[in-house]
């Protein structure tokens, strides 16, 4: 990350207010340029601690202005990486991309295995910012290297901006439905328990069809295992909030926790890893259930050769050869954010995914289906905490990389997507190499620096607007590399909302070419069913299903 530091010094316009600042900046420029020539462009995050890349209150850079092209008198353009200054660099880069695309082939094998990986709230701006946070804006995340990609439209039937219940229903069930409703058509409105019993309104998930085909199935998430996205794998619910019976679930409707353990799909899942222990345990044991049932004990009784684990060491000790069913519950609610997690006790998304694969891959005859959710990206964005969100994206990227490296592209379809995005944006004319979380441009209107990363709504508003003075606060002196730091937001709200923009879909393996272009989000389930020869009789069938 040496180049990042160099650019900050080389790119700042020198202040002419004081001779001292001129001397200081000249020294910094000389030192920076020496480092450039001595080390060239090194963007390996392993040698760079982002917590050190924070301007102190007394840093001279606060007194300087970022180069602004409209300030013609004193304009000094930023200097980018030296190697990118030649046409040969860009020509060779483009030619390699062209050759890779020409060399890629259409894979029409039957997908024996399917892995659907969902970055909850991971919109395009999150992907771009994660590149910069990880290495450099020119970097590629693991799933961006997939040969095929497209975009899906994420709205609900009754809302333009969706939630995770209707989007997960689209991805995993192949239909669009109403906001906050899981697995049911739009004939069922929020909280309508009686309507949810209509069989015509109940749409099976692709996991139901996978189980019918004797495939092994599993879910991995950093949220509660009863949360909206994993629940769309196995549950029907007229409200995503009915995770346990403490949420006033109407008589006649089973809560999501109960459906996980005893439902027709939930009870057959081979692997379930995430948080949410509280929704499966009675109140007297520290859980939320008012019915007094210990659903974890009930799980143990109904599954032979099963293991229930509660921490990282227990997960590591699970022997896939002797374990047919695995339930891992590593927190009462959601798992801790990666930056706050105790590495000794809480497994990472990648570690959970690795263990799930080890167990599911035992089904060599019929294959498997796995859903992996990086669920805490979303929660961090809701809180306007970009640092936490980007660290979660990086961990999600690592989990995707692990799956890609430990499966066979010839028989495993991998889909990477987001359920929805957030009004998280990167603005201002941020020079290359600057910290994506720090000050990135300067407003000539109010003579203050601005943060490049910001939100449309949320509590970040209160941290950055002075109500008494009627103006925004100066970023100077703010501890913006603290994980809990809230980026600016335009509108004060209790928490940030989702956004309605299209999200990316990245595909690798059999029939991955189906996922190019722009399409409705519910198409993803239909593409997966076609590739893997699953689904009801009235959908198009892959000719290879009969071979």
């Amino acid at each position: 990350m040496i180049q990042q530091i160099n650019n900050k010094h080389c790119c700042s316009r020198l202040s002419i207010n004081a001779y001292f600042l001129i001397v200081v900046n000249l020294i910094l420029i000389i030192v920076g340029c020496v480092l450039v020539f001595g080390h060239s462009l090194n963007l390996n995050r392993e040698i760079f601690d982002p917590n050190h890349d924070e301007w102190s209150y007394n840093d001279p850079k606060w007194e300087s202005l970022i180069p602004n092209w409209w300030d013609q008198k004193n304009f000094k353009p930023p200097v980018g990486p030296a190697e990118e200054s030649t046409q040969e660099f860009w020509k060779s880069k483009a030619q390699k991309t062209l050759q890779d695309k020409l060399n890629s082939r259409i894979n029409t094998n039957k997908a024996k295995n399917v892995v659907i990986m969902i970055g909850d709230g991971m919109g395009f701006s999150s992907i771009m910012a994660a590149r910069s946070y990880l290495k450099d804006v020119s970097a590629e995340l693991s799933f961006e290297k997939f040969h095929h990609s497209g975009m899906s439209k994420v709205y609900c039937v009754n809302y333009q901006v969706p939630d995770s219940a209707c989007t997960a229903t689209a991805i995993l069930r192949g239909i669009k439905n109403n906001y906050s409703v899981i697995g049911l058509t739009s004939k069922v409105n929020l909280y309508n328990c009686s309507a949810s019993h209509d069989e015509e309104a109940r749409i099976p998930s692709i996991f139901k069809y996978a189980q019918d085909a004797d495939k092994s199935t599993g879910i991995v998430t950093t949220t509660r295992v009863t949360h909206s996205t994993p629940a769309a794998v196995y549950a029907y619910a007229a409200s995503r909030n009915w995770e346990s019976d403490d949420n006033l679930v109407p008589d006649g409707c089973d809560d999501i926790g109960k459906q996980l353990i005893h439902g027709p799909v939930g009870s057959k899942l081979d692997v379930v890893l995430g948080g949410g222990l509280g929704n499966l345990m009675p109140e007297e044991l520290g859980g939320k259930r008012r019915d007094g049932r210990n659903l974890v004990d009930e799980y143990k009784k109904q599954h032979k050769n099963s293991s229930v684990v509660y921490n990282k060491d227990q997960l590591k000790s699970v022997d896939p050869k002797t374990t047919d069913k695995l339930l891992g519950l590593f927190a009462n609610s959601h798992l801790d954010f990666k930056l706050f997690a105790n590495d000794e006790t809480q497994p990472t998304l990648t570690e959970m995914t690795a263990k799930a694969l080890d167990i599911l891959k035992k089904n060599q005859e019929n294959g498997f289906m796995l859903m992996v959710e990086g669920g805490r990206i979303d929660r961090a964005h809701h809180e306007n905490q970009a640092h936490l969100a980007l660290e979660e994206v990086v961990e999600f990227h690592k989990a995707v990389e692990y799956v890609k490296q430990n499966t066979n592209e010839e028989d495993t379809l991998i889909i990477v997507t987001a359920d929805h995005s957030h009004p998280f944006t990167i603005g201002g004319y941020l020079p290359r190499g600057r910290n994506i979380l720090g000050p990135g441009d300067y407003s000539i209107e109010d003579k203050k620096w601005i943060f490049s990363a910001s939100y449309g709504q949320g509590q970040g508003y209160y941290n950055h607007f002075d109500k008494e003075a009627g103006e925004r606060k100066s970023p100077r002196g703010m501890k913006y590399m603290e994980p809990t730091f809230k980026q600016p937001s335009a509108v004060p709200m209790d928490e940030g909302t989702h956004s309605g923009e299209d999200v990316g879909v990245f595909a690798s393996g059999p029939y991955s070419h189906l996922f190019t272009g722009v399409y409705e989000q519910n198409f993803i389930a239909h593409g997966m069913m076609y590739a893997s020869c699953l689904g009801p009789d009235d959908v198009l069938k892959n000719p290879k299903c009969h071979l």
Side-chain angles (χ1 to χ4, degrees):
M1 196 56 75
I2 292 172
Q3 182 66 35
Q4 284 193 334
I5 300 172
N6 297 336
N7 285 346
K8 289 171 187 174
H9 298 321
C10 293
C11 295
S12 296
R13 190 175 74 237
L14 302 179
S15 173
I16 61 174
N17 295 330
Y19 176 78
F20 172 77
L21 291 178
I22 294 177
V23 173
V24 169
N25 277 283
L26 282 173
I27 292 173
L28 292 174
I29 289 172
I30 293 170
V31 171
C33 291
V34 169
L35 289 173
V36 170
F37 288 117
H39 297 276
S40 185
L41 182 64
N42 190 332
L43 296 166
N44 190 338
R45 187 166 172 258
E46 274 63 36
I47 66 169
F48 170 70
D49 182 354
N51 289 299
H52 293 163
D53 187 38
E54 184 174 78
W55 298 359
S56 68
Y57 184 86
N58 295 320
D59 195 304
K61 291 188 291 296
W62 290 114
E63 301 296 340
S64 63
L65 302 186
I66 200 167
N68 286 322
W69 60 267
W70 56 80
D71 188 357
Q72 302 263 339
K73 184 178 179 181
N74 297 307
F75 175 59
K76 288 192 176 182
V79 178
E83 66 182 62
E84 296 183 16
S85 65
T86 67
Q87 65 168 311
E88 281 306 314
F89 173 86
W90 296 106
K91 180 179 178 181
S92 62
K93 191 177 181 73
Q95 286 293 304
K96 182 182 183 304
T97 301
L98 177 61
Q99 191 62 61
D100 288 345
K101 290 185 176 296
L102 291 172
N103 290 341
S104 66
R105 64 181 179 84
I106 300 299
N107 182 345
T108 57
N109 296 335
K110 176 183 175 181
K112 179 180 177 181
N113 312 308
V114 178
V115 184
I116 173 71
M117 307 188 73
I118 301 172
D120 195 328
M122 188 186 69
F124 286 119
S125 55
S126 296
I127 293 172
M128 174 268 168
R131 294 187 205 124
S132 180
Y133 175 78
L134 178 64
K135 290 185 177 180
D136 177 70
V137 71
S138 65
E140 283 185 306
L141 300 182
S142 54
F143 47 89
E144 293 182 288
K145 299 175 184 178
F146 289 5
H147 285 304
H148 299 105
S149 59
M151 295 192 298
S152 71
K153 306 174 187 178
V154 301
Y155 60 88
C156 304
V157 168
N158 63 342
Y159 276 80
Q160 294 190 52
V161 176
D163 80 314
S164 295
C166 81
T167 53
T169 295
I171 294 169
L172 300 171
R173 309 252 178 172
I175 63 147
K176 290 206 172 193
N177 67 338
N178 289 331
Y179 187 94
S180 282
V181 177
I182 296 173
L184 303 160
T185 69
S186 60
K187 292 180 179 179
V188 181
N189 292 318
L190 184 61
Y191 303 129
N192 193 335
C193 173
S194 60
S196 69
H197 292 294
D198 182 355
E199 287 300 323
E200 291 188 1
R202 294 188 162 207
I203 306 300
S205 82
I206 189 173
F207 279 75
K208 164 69 164 59
Y209 298 122
Q211 291 173 350
D212 289 345
D214 294 324
K215 292 183 183 293
S216 296
T217 54
I219 58 176
V220 173
T221 180
T222 53
T223 69
R224 297 185 293 271
V225 294
T226 51
H227 205 234
S228 52
T229 300
V233 166
Y234 60 84
Y236 298 106
S239 172
R240 58 179 288 179
N241 296 322
W242 295 346
E243 294 187 52
S244 73
D245 67 341
D246 78 315
N247 287 306
L248 303 179
V249 182
D251 290 340
C253 276
D254 288 335
D255 62 83
I256 294 170
K258 184 178 177 183
Q259 292 185 63
L260 171 62
I261 303 303
H262 294 292
V265 175
S267 63
K268 294 180 182 177
L269 291 169
D270 299 284
V271 178
V272 178
L273 300 175
L277 175 62
N279 289 325
L280 305 180
M281 301 292 286
E283 290 179 323
E284 56 265 30
L285 294 179
K288 289 186 169 185
R289 302 197 65 83
R290 297 177 180 176
D291 58 10
R293 297 179 66 169
N294 185 329
L295 294 181
V296 175
D297 278 352
E298 293 177 21
Y299 174 89
K300 293 176 184 177
K301 291 176 182 178
Q302 70 185 21
H303 295 303
K304 296 181 179 179
N305 298 327
S306 66
S307 292
V308 178
V309 296
Y310 302 99
N311 59 50
K312 184 174 183 174
D313 285 342
Q314 292 175 354
L315 179 68
K316 289 173 64 176
S317 67
V318 171
D319 185 355
K321 295 179 181 178
T322 59
T323 304
D324 296 330
K325 300 282 186 179
L326 175 61
L327 175 63
L329 300 166
F330 307 106
N332 243 20
S333 185
H334 300 316
L335 270 62
D336 289 331
F337 288 111
K338 183 69 167 56
L339 283 174
F340 295 148
N342 184 335
D343 291 336
E344 299 297 318
T345 58
Q346 180 176 294
T348 65
L349 181 65
T350 303
E351 289 166 341
M352 291 190 292
T353 301
K355 184 64 72 173
L357 279 178
D358 287 343
I359 292 175
L360 299 179
K361 287 165 75 171
K362 292 194 302 179
N363 191 345
Q364 297 184 7
E365 181 179 355
N366 299 308
F368 65 85
M369 178 170 290
L370 172 65
M371 191 283 291
V372 178
E373 182 196 22
R376 298 292 267 154
I377 303 168
D378 172 75
R379 191 65 250 167
H381 278 321
H382 277 302
E383 298 298 326
N384 294 168
Q385 294 170 329
H387 192 169
L388 291 177
L390 297 185
E391 190 68 30
E392 297 297 317
V393 175
V394 170
E395 178 59 31
F396 181 75
H397 136 85
K398 291 177 181 177
V400 173
E401 188 170 42
Y402 183 91
V403 172
K404 187 68 171 68
Q405 292 176 350
N406 289 275
T407 55
N408 187 344
E409 188 173 357
E410 293 303 307
D411 66 3
T412 303
L413 172 63
I414 305 173
I415 303 294
V416 177
T417 189
D419 49 354
H420 56 76
S421 183
H422 277 262
F424 168 65
T425 186
I426 306 299
Y429 296 104
L430 181 70
R432 285 285 291 278
R434 284 190 182 270
N435 182 352
I436 196 71
L437 296 172
D441 205 341
Y442 187 88
S443 170
I444 60 174
E445 299 297 325
D446 63 4
K447 305 297 187 294
K448 296 172 186 173
W449 284 85
I450 65 172
F451 289 104
S452 290
S454 62
Y455 290 87
Q457 313 91 16
Q459 291 188 357
Y461 175 90
Y462 300 105
N463 297 67
H464 296 270
F465 188 77
D466 187 333
K467 292 179 68 175
E468 292 185 5
E471 60 185 23
R472 71 184 184 93
K473 299 177 182 178
S474 171
R476 183 168 183 163
M478 290 185 177
K479 299 297 183 182
Y480 54 82
M481 287 307 295
E482 290 291 329
T484 56
F485 179 77
K486 295 181 185 292
Q487 302 293 135
S489 75
V491 178
M493 290 186 71
D494 181 55
E495 67 174 34
T497 71
H498 298 164
S499 69
E501 66 194 26
D502 298 354
V503 298
V505 182
F506 307 85
S508 171
Y511 286 94
S512 55
H513 61 284
L514 294 179
F515 299 92
T516 57
V518 181
Y519 37 81
E520 298 288 357
Q521 192 171 39
N522 68 300
F523 166 76
I524 296 173
H526 291 262
M528 291 191 294
M529 287 190 293
Y530 184 85
S532 56
C533 296
L534 300 175
D537 294 335
D538 60 351
V539 298
L540 286 175
K541 295 296 181 182
N542 185 334
K544 293 192 174 180
C545 297
H546 305 293
L547 298 181

